[in-house]
Amino acid sequence: MPELPDVEVFKKYLDSTSLQKNIEKVEVENPKILEDITVEELKNKIEGKKFKKSRRHGKYLFVEINDNNWLILHFGMTGELKFYKEKSEQPDHARIIFHFDNGYRLAFDCQRLLGIVSLTDSVDDFIEKKQLGVDALDINQKDFLELLNNRRGTIKSALMNQKIVAGVGNIYSDEILFQTDLHPKSKVKNIDEKTLSKIYSSMKEVMKVAIDNNVNPEEFPENYLLLYRDVGNKCPKDDGEIQRVKVSGRSAYYCPKHQKKI
DNA sequence: AGTACCACCTGACGGC
DNA sequence: TGCCGTCAGGTGGTAC
């Protein structure tokens, strides 16, 4: 799940359920999910405090505990949040559980343990240290074009490169290229400025559509790839046959009929 | 600078 | 039923 739109939906979920409640206890079910911190540090810094507000950057969600203390959540491939009351409702792979004083709990669930839970005293420093680019929802067209100017690689890997633009992952880069009629292996340097501008607009549009529809593909427009993103399916635009190709180690799905390599 | 490959992990699925 | 290979929306390190 967790690309920019998914994380934005998690943010809204956390904001609407878990802010301003006293956190009585932090339970660590699996410490492998922690990075650079110990179980004790996590408990000491959070127990007895409240989640004050949250902030998203790319695929990261940061939750403020107090002025110089933020919880870092990264969802990996399989992370998600669940707010619930009864233990019986606890998700199968709850790795960290925050217990609130009203009896409710917030679980950081992560089946594959590729997610990360950590702490930082400065979100901006963390973003800088990770060399994350500007968030895909915030970047302006001029900066986007400049960042892609003179790149030698493929357009899909550029879109997925978190140092260029933060937030776009495998699924949504496919969607953006599907909507702009470009083969995922097209070389960035072969793409003219007009087409790059189209990619920029499509990136914004796809992110917005996904967020507005709560990342539920069933609600997406009919001409979106997402519901048909598998080998052999019919392209929702022109009845081409969806194919798969490896691009920088990831599976890219595309319609060979209208996505041409340039 | 880019890319290919590996590692970190768990689990679902299809073929035999 | 079990075993095996492949795949899955992420990131980071290494070696070309």
Side-chain angles (χ1 to χ4, degrees):
Chain A
M1 289 169 208
E3 297 183 35
L4 185 155
D6 309 270
V7 180
E8 181 64 22
V9 171
F10 295 155
K11 172 176 161 51
K12 291 181 201 291
Y13 183 72
L14 182 136
D15 288 352
S16 67
T17 59
S18 306
L19 295 185
Q20 310 302 342
K21 296 179 171 71
N22 191 47
I23 302 162
E24 289 184 331
K25 190 170 74 162
V26 179
E27 215 177 336
V28 179
E29 298 277 331
N30 192 329
K32 281 186 185 168
I33 207 78
L34 301 179
E35 187 176 85
D36 299 334
I37 55 165
T38 64
V39 173
E40 283 314 303
E41 273 176 276
L42 185 73
K43 291 169 83 77
N44 290 342
K45 293 242 169 122
I46 297 184
E47 286 180 350
K49 310 284 195 336
K50 295 172 181 170
F51 292 147
K52 287 161 79 176
K53 65 181 178 196
S54 70
R55 169 180 168 189
R56 185 191 57 72
H57 187 99
K59 303 173 191 175
Y60 284 88
L61 184 59
F62 305 93
V63 190
E64 190 184 39
I65 312 300
N66 39 47
D67 286 347
N68 292 309
N69 206 8
W70 292 75
L71 177 70
I72 303 171
L73 301 176
H74 188 278
F75 297 88
M77 298 266 267
T78 54
E80 57 186 330
L81 296 175
K82 185 174 177 188
F83 185 77
Y84 60 103
K85 189 162 191 183
E86 306 300 333
K87 174 111 198 231
S88 60
E89 303 168 80
Q90 185 169 304
D92 290 344
H93 310 285
R95 308 304 188 184
I96 311 271
I97 302 151
F98 302 95
H99 294 258
F100 300 107
D101 61 0
N102 64 355
Y104 280 82
R105 316 164 187 208
L106 181 73
F108 181 87
D109 186 90
C110 188
Q111 185 218 106
R112 287 176 67 186
L113 287 169
L114 298 173
I116 286 165
V117 174
S118 193
L119 293 163
T120 183
D121 52 16
S122 163
V123 171
D124 291 333
D125 288 354
F126 178 84
I127 289 169
E128 199 184 324
K129 193 181 78 189
K130 289 279 180 186
Q131 299 178 267
L132 296 178
V134 179
D135 188 86
L137 287 186
D138 295 334
I139 194 165
N140 65 48
Q141 181 167 319
K142 180 170 161 285
D143 291 345
F144 182 80
L145 295 178
E146 274 173 20
L147 283 164
L148 291 186
N149 190 33
N150 286 327
R151 291 226 129 230
R152 287 190 269 163
T154 64
I155 184 62
K156 180 174 168 74
S157 35
L159 286 172
M160 287 200 298
N161 185 337
Q162 302 301 297
K163 296 184 169 101
I164 301 176
V165 173
V168 180
N170 200 28
I171 290 269
Y172 289 105
S173 58
D174 277 0
E175 190 65 63
I176 292 162
L177 296 173
F178 182 84
Q179 296 303 334
T180 42
D181 305 332
L182 276 168
H183 189 287
K185 281 196 160 179
S186 297
K187 299 281 185 199
V188 177
K189 65 174 166 52
N190 294 341
I191 305 175
D192 61 35
E193 192 169 308
K194 190 178 159 215
T195 309
L196 284 175
S197 303
K198 214 172 124 191
I199 295 172
Y200 170 81
S201 309
S202 174
M203 177 175 79
K204 297 272 179 172
E205 174 68 12
V206 166
M207 296 290 116
K208 184 180 184 313
V209 163
I211 293 166
D212 290 350
N213 290 298
N214 262 332
V215 293
N216 176 7
E218 306 284 337
E219 305 289 329
F220 285 17
E222 284 177 15
N223 66 351
Y224 267 47
L225 172 67
L226 196 33
L227 274 182
Y228 306 91
R229 194 176 171 277
D230 207 355
V231 175
N233 281 343
K234 289 286 171 218
C235 166
K237 280 192 177 179
D238 59 15
D239 286 346
E241 194 170 303
I242 303 301
Q243 293 189 15
R244 179 174 66 206
V245 64
K246 285 276 179 208
V247 184
S248 43
R250 311 298 300 280
S251 287
Y253 292 84
Y254 70 104
C255 167
K257 197 162 169 182
H258 77 269
Q259 291 175 262
K260 299 299 182 192
K261 199 187 297 187
I262 57 175

